Amino acid sequence: MVVPVHGLSASLIEDISGDAQGRIWVATDGMGLYRFRQAEDYSRVLDLKNFTVDEGLNYNKAKELTLDREDNVWVALYGGGIARYLGGQFE
């Protein structure tokens, strides 16, 4: 079971990936990236964070996500190349 994330429409989701800390990353078409965890019983979303151009992305349209061996998140952006999440920010 997946708990809906407030304001995130399934039609906007481009890619989903999970990291080593159990967080879920969601790339969207126009809403940047979301990162969150689910409660152990899947009843609610915890630690919801939305990353947009205000947090360092070049564009809010994300196409694909991947994680490297060090668990860094890489995101391919429409019209803006790639970005890496490192040290709490995108570069």
Side-chain angles (χ1 to χ4, degrees):
M1 177 172 111
V2 176
V3 175
V5 176
H6 178 70
L8 182 57
S9 168
S11 65
L12 296 175
I13 295 174
E14 293 287 336
D15 200 10
I16 300 174
S17 190
D19 66 19
Q21 288 97 30
R23 299 176 299 191
I24 299 167
W25 292 81
V26 180
T28 71
D29 182 6
M31 297 174 68
L33 293 174
Y34 281 86
R35 183 190 70 198
F36 61 93
R37 290 183 308 112
Q38 288 188 315
E40 287 186 30
D41 64 358
Y42 301 103
S43 65
R44 65 190 182 285
V45 169
L46 306 172
D47 304 325
L48 177 64
K49 174 73 175 154
N50 180 223
F51 298 94
T52 64
V53 293
D54 294 334
E55 287 75 34
L57 292 178
N58 292 339
Y59 293 92
N60 286 332
K61 291 187 173 194
K63 175 70 176 159
E64 293 181 47
L65 292 166
T66 192
L67 283 86
D68 64 22
R69 290 181 208 175
E70 286 95 36
D71 210 35
N72 295 310
V73 176
W74 293 82
V75 57
L77 302 164
Y78 284 109
I82 60 173
R84 176 175 64 161
Y85 188 71
L86 181 65
Q89 65 185 19
F90 282 94
E91 54 179 40

